[in-house]
């Protein structure tokens, strides 16, 4: 059974920071890319960032560059999303996902495993 478990969400004031974590269990994710997506109420799921599991190559959607950073600790099977300068519009459920594609993708359909999501709420 493959599981991705996110944590670290919560309530934060605008301008604050949060670090989300995603722990992968059930199989080795070596060679798999990991991504973060988010979905706000009434909106489609949106790509945030992705990282290769071995090479550490990471990329981020333009709208989050400079504020969000993805990283990973392969020894812990964990991927992180460091979020800073949070805005009210960052309020969403954040999902971790794993892709068999070595570089991941901007598209949610190309991810094979998903976590349950963690709620991030940014207050003004």
């Amino acid at each position: 059974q493959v599981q991705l478990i996110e944590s670290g969400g919560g309530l934060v004031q605008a301008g604050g920071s949060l670090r989300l974590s995603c722990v992968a269990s059930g199989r080795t994710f070596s060679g798999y890319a990991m991504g973060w997506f988010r979905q706000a109420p009434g909106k489609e799921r949106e790509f945030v960032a992705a990282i290769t599991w071995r090479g550490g190559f990471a990329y981020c959607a333009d709208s989050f560059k400079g504020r969000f950073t993805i990283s990973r600790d392969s020894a812990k099977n964990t991927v992180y999303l460091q979020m800073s300068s949070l805005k009210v519009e960052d309020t969403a459920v954040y999902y971790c996902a794993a892709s068999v594609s070595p570089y991941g993708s901007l598209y949610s359909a190309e991810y094979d495993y998903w976590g349950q999501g963690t709620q991030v709420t940014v207050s003004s």
Side-chain angles (χ1 to χ4, degrees):
Q1 185 74 17
V2 173
Q3 282 191 322
L4 299 176
I5 301 176
E6 303 99 333
S7 63
L11 176 64
V12 63
Q13 286 190 329
S17 299
L18 279 176
R19 188 178 78 159
L20 305 183
S21 300
C22 172
V23 179
S25 63
R27 65 175 297 168
T28 298
F29 278 86
S30 177
Y32 286 61
M34 300 294 291
W36 285 98
F37 288 77
R38 73 181 191 181
Q39 189 165 19
K43 295 187 177 181
E44 293 186 353
R45 194 165 293 191
E46 176 183 24
F47 171 78
V48 177
I51 189 167
T52 58
W53 199 253
R54 287 178 176 170
F57 175 73
Y59 55 100
C60 186
D62 287 344
S63 54
F64 305 112
K65 286 181 180 178
R67 296 195 303 125
F68 291 8
T69 302
I70 188 171
S71 62
R72 92 283 189 255
D73 184 336
S74 298
K76 296 182 179 180
N77 266 6
T78 301
V79 177
Y80 304 98
L81 183 68
Q82 179 68 48
M83 306 186 294
S84 60
S85 301
L86 283 163
K87 305 174 183 179
V88 172
E89 50 265 41
D90 292 321
T91 295
V93 177
Y94 285 72
Y95 297 91
C96 170
S99 173
V100 297
S101 171
Y103 288 93
S105 173
L106 305 177
Y107 305 104
S108 60
E110 297 188 18
Y111 287 80
D112 304 277
Y113 307 107
W114 289 85
Q116 293 299 307
T118 185
Q119 176 71 48
V120 171
T121 302
V122 184
S123 63
S124 59

